[in-house]
Amino acid sequence: MTIICYSRCGTCKKAIKWLQERGSDFTQRSITEETPTREELAAWQQKSGLPLQKFFNTSGRIYKENHLKDKLPAMSDEEKLDLLSSDGMLIKRPILLADDGSVLVGFKEAQWESLIG
């Protein structure tokens, strides 16, 4: 499995520690050094079953500075994908890409537990 994260994010650190404590085999990918592509994001959104809105880091500086809370409702999914793929800091993290194809966005321990065990 792969965890897409930001090295200075407290939630990402917590998720990595959680995976390590369970002996999970995973690789890490930096969300800023290897920003997910538009195609990857579209595929993950489909696999996760979540609306694209859930892929935005709503507590991030860029999100707030650009008033995206007000702008996103009027944007098409295509425009949202373009925006998300333009800057890794706009993307909610961590993203867990499980070996079975499942995609989890954000770290909710119970959700991860049900997937990983």
Side-chain angles (χ1 to χ4, degrees):
M1 80 184 86
T2 300
I3 183 171
I4 299 168
C5 54
Y6 179 56
S7 62
R8 296 191 316 205
C9 168
T11 304
C12 292
K13 290 176 184 176
K14 187 174 163 184
I16 290 166
K17 182 180 178 195
W18 187 90
L19 288 170
Q20 290 170 335
E21 287 172 350
R22 280 149 186 79
S24 298
D25 185 27
F26 64 95
T27 57
Q28 290 183 55
R29 173 176 160 183
S30 169
I31 205 161
T32 54
E33 292 173 23
E34 277 186 80
T35 300
T37 65
R38 187 179 197 291
E39 293 74 21
E40 286 176 317
L41 289 161
W44 299 341
Q45 186 261 330
Q46 187 175 27
K47 289 178 182 177
S48 73
L50 296 170
L52 271 176
Q53 198 102 355
K54 296 288 187 185
F55 279 77
F56 280 87
N57 175 14
T58 58
S59 59
R61 180 182 53 81
I62 297 170
Y63 183 91
K64 290 177 181 176
E65 284 176 359
N66 290 294
H67 308 285
L68 293 177
K69 179 182 179 183
D70 301 323
K71 295 177 183 176
L72 285 179
M75 293 174 72
S76 70
D77 280 355
E78 299 304 313
E79 291 169 317
K80 290 174 188 173
L81 285 169
D82 286 340
L83 189 57
L84 284 167
S85 63
S86 72
D87 191 326
M89 295 305 282
L90 280 170
I91 303 169
K92 184 172 183 73
R93 54 195 183 259
I95 297 176
L96 182 70
L97 307 175
D99 294 335
D100 69 358
S102 300
V103 176
L104 298 178
V105 180
F107 180 59
K108 294 184 180 121
E109 201 169 314
Q111 198 179 41
W112 286 42
E113 185 71 45
S114 67
L115 180 66
I116 297 167

